[in-house]
């Protein structure tokens, strides 16, 4: 459903016109409180074609793009996120920043510092948090309705072949910042942490099982959350049957979502523990008015706050948490021990994710 606003729509611009930019443009086209007025890309031909497709204007200079918009959607490779987001925030322009937000926590710190000094807002896109089913599950977990969370699993089992890594900036520490954990697994890791809250320790290993890249194509980790939940987390780019799966076992139920790149009510399931009565189960029913996860649902939450000049909502909160967990997995692999939040105060851990990646015997 189109979003209707009595105010003049915010002028939106998209920086970077690759695949994810189309998701932003399609979601913006559904809104009444925003209009896509300009796009830009280092590849002028790509920008021109994108602009023609969406009926907007291509510009070929970042400063010109920033001057033309109220909201900048940053859809470029992660190595340039920090400089581009900071430039917009310093100009008083809101920033909607694609994941991963930066190559390191240290870089993300600079973005958050710029946001704190700007009248504009920063929203980092973790769209798996969005959607009516995820919101309902979070409310029930936060209220204790489903009981005490005990155990969780979080699997991002995707397949990315050699052609995926043929893109020049992929598969290197310098330009992509990390492998499948940062680029893919962070989606489900973020959803898990959104549902369970802050973490207290992480142990992890990085593996390069098959892909000819610098970074990992598989990682395994154990996360202990502050509330006591123990989670097993696997991220991989070598799984032919692709699936994204999050499962949380409480003392009263099992909650799980299985999907690939987005979820709706049909992807969620709540299984009752023995002894839980039908009347209680009825209280746990997910909303019939289904809003799937995705960029459109995420913008539905964020854009009204931007229009009203209010802080971004909780669905866009805790901007560092999932990158902290990914960083801790890398640091644990490098140091061979569990990592706590206090360990990430060390600049050597807060900097580059670069870590040794194990390879199995051939």
């Amino acid at each position: 459903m189109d979003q209707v606003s009595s105010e003049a729509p915010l002028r939106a611009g998209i920086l970077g016109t690759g695949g994810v930019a189309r998701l932003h443009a399609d979601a913006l086209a559904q809104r009444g409180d925003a209009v896509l007025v300009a796009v830009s890309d280092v590849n002028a031909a790509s920008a021109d074609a994108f602009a023609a497709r969406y009926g907007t204007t291509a510009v070929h200079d970042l400063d010109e793009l920033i001057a033309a918009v109220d909201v900048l959607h940053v859809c470029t490779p992660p190595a340039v996120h920090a400089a581009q987001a900071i430039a917009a925030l310093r100009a008083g322009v809101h920033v909607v920043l694609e994941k991963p937000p930066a190559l390191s926590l240290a870089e993300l710190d600079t973005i958050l510092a710029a946001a704190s000094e700007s009248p504009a807002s920063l929203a980092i896109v973790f769209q798996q948090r969005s959607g009516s089913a995820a919101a309902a599950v979070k409310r029930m977990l936060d209220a204790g309705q489903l009981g005490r969370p005990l155990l969780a699993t979080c699997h991002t089992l995707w397949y990315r072949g050699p052609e995926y890594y043929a893109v020049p900036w992929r598969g290197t520490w310098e330009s992509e910042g990390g492998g499948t954990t940062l680029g893919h697994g962070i989606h489900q890791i973020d959803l898990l942490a959104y549902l369970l809250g802050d973490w207290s320790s992480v142990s992890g290993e990085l593996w390069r099982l098959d892909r000819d890249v610098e970074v990992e194509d598989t990682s395994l980790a154990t996360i202990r959350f502050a509330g006591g939940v123990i989670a097993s987390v696997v991220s991989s780019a070598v799984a032919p049957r692709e699936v994204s799966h999050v499962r949380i076992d409480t003392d009263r139920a099992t909650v799980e979502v299985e999907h690939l790149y987005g979820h709706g009510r049909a992807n969620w399931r709540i299984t009752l523990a023995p002894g839980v009565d039908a009347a209680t189960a009825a209280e746990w029913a997910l909303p019939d008015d289904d809003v799937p996860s995705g960029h459109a649902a995420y913008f539905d939450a964020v854009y009204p706050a931007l229009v009203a000049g209010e802080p971004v909502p909780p669905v866009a909160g805790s901007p560092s948490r999932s990158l902290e967990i990914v960083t801790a997995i890398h640091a644990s692999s490098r140091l061979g021990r569990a990592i706590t939040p206090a360990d990430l105060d060390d600049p050597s851990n807060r900097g580059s994710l670069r870590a040794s990646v194990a390879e199995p015997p051939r």
Side-chain angles (χ1 to χ4, degrees), residues 132-341:
S132 54
V137 168
K138 180 169 174 58
R139 282 195 302 269
M140 289 189 283
L141 285 169
D142 288 349
Q145 287 178 261
L146 300 177
R148 183 166 64 92
L150 303 170
L151 175 69
T153 57
C154 177
H155 293 166
T156 306
L157 304 176
W158 292 3
Y159 188 88
R160 297 293 184 266
E163 69 285 350
Y164 175 83
Y165 292 104
V167 176
W169 60 269
R170 289 192 178 128
T172 70
W173 293 111
E174 182 177 358
S175 58
E176 193 169 17
T180 192
T181 319
L182 178 67
H184 309 141
I186 196 170
H187 281 295
Q188 277 20 269
I189 291 170
D190 183 79
L191 175 58
L192 182 72
Y194 180 63
L195 296 174
L196 293 178
D198 293 332
W199 61 284
S200 59
S201 71
V202 170
S203 297
E205 294 181 288
L206 305 180
W207 295 87
R208 185 167 44 245
L209 302 180
D210 192 63
R211 302 295 179 256
D212 184 19
V213 292
E214 293 179 2
V215 296
E216 86 280 2
D217 60 27
T218 300
S219 68
L220 300 89
T222 299
I223 304 172
R224 179 184 289 274
F225 285 88
V229 184
I230 303 298
S232 172
V233 178
V234 181
S235 303
S236 180
V238 299
R241 189 184 81 79
E242 298 183 286
V243 68
S244 303
H245 184 257
V246 171
R247 170 177 170 149
I248 300 171
D249 293 318
T250 76
D251 59 3
R252 303 188 74 195
T254 292
V255 183
E256 55 191 321
V257 58
E258 183 171 318
H259 64 108
L260 186 52
Y261 300 136
H263 50 79
R265 186 182 190 278
N267 299 102
W268 290 82
R269 179 170 58 183
I270 300 177
T271 303
L272 310 183
V276 176
D277 59 64
T280 299
E283 298 174 0
W284 298 349
L286 298 175
D288 289 328
D289 186 11
D290 185 32
V291 177
S293 70
H295 286 75
Y298 183 83
F299 295 170
D300 280 349
V302 168
Y303 258 87
L306 300 183
V307 171
E310 298 173 350
V312 295
V315 75
S318 302
S320 300
R321 185 166 54 201
S322 53
L323 184 56
E324 287 175 356
I325 293 172
V326 171
T327 301
I329 293 170
H330 283 70
S332 176
S333 180
R334 184 176 69 251
L335 299 174
R337 62 174 176 83
I339 300 297
T340 68

Side-chain angles (χ1 to χ4, degrees), residues 62-90:
L62 176 58
D63 291 337
E64 183 181 354
L65 180 61
I66 289 172
V69 303
D70 304 305
V71 187
L72 181 67
H73 291 243
V74 179
C75 301
T76 49
V80 291
H81 280 182
Q84 294 167 344
I86 289 169
L89 290 164
R90 287 178 175 168

